[in-house]
Amino acid sequence: MARLDAFFKKMIELEASDLHLTTGVPPHFRLHGDMMPVSGAPLWSEEQMLEVLFEIAPERNRKQFEEEHDTDFAYELPGQARFRANFFMDRHGPGAVFRLIPEQILTAKELGLPEAVRSLCYLSKGLVLVTGPTGSGKSTTLAAMVDTINKTRADHILTIEDPIEFVHKQQKCLVHQREIGRHTRGFKRALRAALREDPDIVLVGEMRDLETIEIAIETAETGHLVFGTLHTTTAASTVDRIIDQFPADRQAQIRTLLASSLRGVIAQTLCKKKPKGRVAALEILIGTPAVSALVREGKTHQLTSQMQMGAKTGMKLLNDSLVELVQKGLVDPTEAYMKSVSKDELVAKLSHIGQRVNIDAIGAEGTAIATSAPAVDEELATEPASPAPRAPIPSRSQPQAPPAKQQKSSSTGFDDFEQFRQRRT
């Protein structure tokens, strides 16, 4: 068993979303949105960190990390969960972040996706975008939507991901999942090839550049249902981001193509849920004829007003979603304020329902959480057997810091961590 497997099992047990490893710094879990250092865990030197990381990395990713100082792949604990891994170099030395990907895909109803979002799964063609900052749950939402299609339609689903995250089993649909670097060279190449692979539904893990965006729009125009992601925070800014990717002399053409192919935009952000966990606040734009006209005419600044008037079709602004979560008692008003893009407007909306934002409590709460460090299990405090890595440390321009002194392990268990969890419940 790999040494990191003990950390991964603890992540599953604690329901932590991420594990952060840094040279000379205690490991950190992200628990319900908060970063929590794990006291008593080994402070690995550069050599030890590489040995631990390379123990689980495929050979291809080891070579890529040595050459480029970055690499991504997926790691699996059979029967328990998958983990999206990213290795990187910083001023401390080698580091890594692991995102927990549950083996069981949550359904659209379990996630609380509204009917307007679920209805997008039954389209025959068009472009559907799920957007939001990193760590906002885009992959989870997309997985739930693909799972809905997989259970209700007899179609061919093709996904292009970097890396493959949620694994979709064959149900009513035929499912092919391709991973960048393992099964194809890049998104552009895989998306062009997809047109010759007879898909009905195409999922593009990331629409990173102009050519990928253009091919995705063309694929949607040729009679396929295309799902994609962007790192934008609002529905209106998503439309602007796509159009602004293109040169000025092509933007009018892209507006016309996007106006006819765009079927929906789900812009989401994760909020801390009471008493624990996290819940997504959704901004929803539906591609109605009125929305298509605004996109075609370049009047994207009017999309917000159109969304306010489009409640009957399922459209919703982020602030309205945040207010709804506060009303249901799922999210604290202060948390909603922190996640809002238009904060003054949100404060006004909350005041109408008798809720007040306590801005002074934001910093104090964050400080209290940050100083509560969990103790580590004895199983997690084991050191690598040998400091010798399997490969030389990638060179860096900055001088290396001396290895941190090893901290003695503790066998007291996650007592402080459990107290932290109890306080949140």
Side-chain angles (χ1 to χ4, degrees):
M1 183 178 75
R3 284 179 284 269
L4 285 178
D5 286 355
F7 283 90
F8 295 149
K9 290 177 180 178
K10 184 58 67 172
M11 286 179 68
I12 298 171
E13 177 187 334
L14 297 171
E15 299 179 359
S17 62
D18 299 87
L19 167 65
H20 292 249
L21 300 179
T22 306
T23 298
V25 176
H28 282 63
F29 287 132
R30 184 178 290 279
L31 181 65
H32 308 316
D34 295 321
M35 294 296 295
M36 295 294 301
V38 182
S39 64
L43 307 183
W44 289 321
S45 66
E46 295 189 18
E47 293 84 359
Q48 292 169 329
M49 180 66 76
L50 274 182
E51 183 185 4
V52 169
L53 296 181
F54 281 8
E55 187 177 18
I56 67 169
E59 182 63 30
R60 176 182 65 85
N61 295 95
R62 296 177 201 164
K63 292 180 179 178
Q64 183 181 32
F65 182 69
E66 291 163 12
E67 296 172 359
E68 303 177 11
H69 295 181
D70 291 285
T71 190
D72 298 283
F73 64 95
Y75 180 73
E76 183 175 5
L77 284 180
Q80 298 185 59
R82 289 169 59 84
F83 300 85
R84 186 182 68 198
N86 172 261
F87 293 180
F88 60 89
M89 290 284 290
D90 73 347
R91 66 184 182 87
H92 299 284
V97 179
F98 300 90
R99 168 66 53 82
L100 174 64
I101 304 169
E103 185 177 65
Q104 185 66 34
I105 298 174
L106 294 176
T107 66
K109 289 186 177 180
E110 288 173 336
L111 286 179
L113 298 182
E115 180 61 32
V117 174
R118 298 200 299 270
S119 66
L120 297 174
C121 300
Y122 303 102
L123 297 172
S124 59
K125 65 177 182 178
L127 178 64
V128 176
L129 299 174
V130 179
T131 75
T134 301
S136 61
K138 299 186 294 295
S139 297
T140 303
T141 298
L142 276 175
M145 297 178 75
V146 171
D147 185 64
T148 298
I149 295 171
N150 196 11
K151 291 176 178 177
T152 58
R153 298 170 59 169
D155 287 326
H156 178 200
I157 301 172
L158 176 64
T159 76
I160 307 167
E161 305 173 71
D162 184 22
I164 292 173
E165 297 184 342
F166 292 91
V167 176
H168 296 275
K169 300 177 182 179
Q170 312 289 338
Q171 299 186 61
K172 291 191 69 174
C173 289
L174 175 64
V175 183
H176 287 116
Q177 295 185 260
R178 306 188 70 191
E179 182 171 312
I180 303 300
R182 289 182 61 197
H183 309 129
T184 182
R185 292 183 182 177
F187 282 103
K188 293 179 290 187
R189 185 184 183 94
L191 198 49
R192 285 199 180 280
L195 295 175
R196 299 187 294 273
E197 293 162 6
D198 188 34
D200 298 290
I201 296 95
V202 179
L203 184 149
V204 186
E206 290 185 46
M207 297 169 62
R208 294 175 174 172
D209 51 49
L210 181 152
E211 190 171 355
T212 302
I213 293 173
E214 183 176 18
I215 300 171
I217 295 174
E218 290 175 357
T219 303
E221 278 284 288
T222 55
H224 304 83
L225 179 58
V226 179
F227 292 92
T229 67
L230 285 172
H231 291 87
T232 48
T233 55
T234 66
S237 66
T238 299
V239 176
D240 289 331
R241 172 74 64 84
I242 292 175
I243 295 172
D244 291 343
Q245 288 277 344
F246 293 85
D249 60 344
R250 295 198 57 200
Q251 290 185 1
Q253 175 194 5
I254 296 302
R255 283 195 196 96
T256 301
L257 291 175
L258 187 61
S260 61
S261 62
L262 186 64
R263 294 292 178 266
V265 179
I266 303 104
Q268 66 182 58
T269 185
L270 281 186
C271 303
K272 295 176 184 176
K273 184 180 178 181
K274 298 192 300 185
K276 64 177 182 178
R278 289 193 282 182
V279 62
L282 306 180
E283 179 167 285
I284 303 170
L285 172 69
I286 302 297
T288 61
V291 168
S292 297
L294 292 177
V295 174
R296 186 180 302 108
E297 297 167 9
K299 299 178 180 179
T300 54
H301 60 281
Q302 296 181 17
L303 286 175
T304 300
S305 299
Q306 186 62 44
M307 292 170 68
Q308 290 174 331
M309 297 184 293
K312 291 183 178 180
T313 60
M315 288 193 265
K316 183 184 296 186
L317 292 171
L318 176 60
N319 276 351
D320 294 329
S321 181
L322 290 170
V323 170
E324 184 179 317
L325 292 175
V326 172
Q327 282 183 308
K328 291 180 178 178
L330 297 176
V331 172
D332 185 82
T334 304
E335 173 69 7
Y337 176 84
M338 293 176 65
K339 299 298 183 180
S340 174
V341 176
S342 304
K343 297 186 185 299
D344 291 340
E345 177 187 321
L346 178 70
V347 170
K349 287 178 177 290
L350 289 174
S351 66
H352 282 118
I353 62 171
Q355 296 287 346
R356 178 177 174 273
V357 176
N358 185 5
I359 300 177
D360 295 334
I362 295 175
E365 181 182 356
T367 302
I369 292 174
T371 56
S372 177
V376 72
D377 283 344
E378 186 174 358
E379 183 182 6
L380 307 189
T382 57
E383 299 289 348
S386 168
R390 298 184 184 182
I393 301 173
S395 59
R396 294 179 292 144
S397 57
Q398 297 183 0
Q400 297 181 4
K405 294 182 179 180
Q406 300 299 315
Q407 184 171 337
K408 294 182 179 180
S409 65
S410 168
S411 60
T412 58
F414 275 76
D415 296 336
D416 294 342
F417 213 160
E418 294 300 330
Q419 293 174 13
F420 166 76
R421 298 179 71 200
Q422 292 172 7
R423 286 198 300 272
R424 291 187 68 85
T425 59

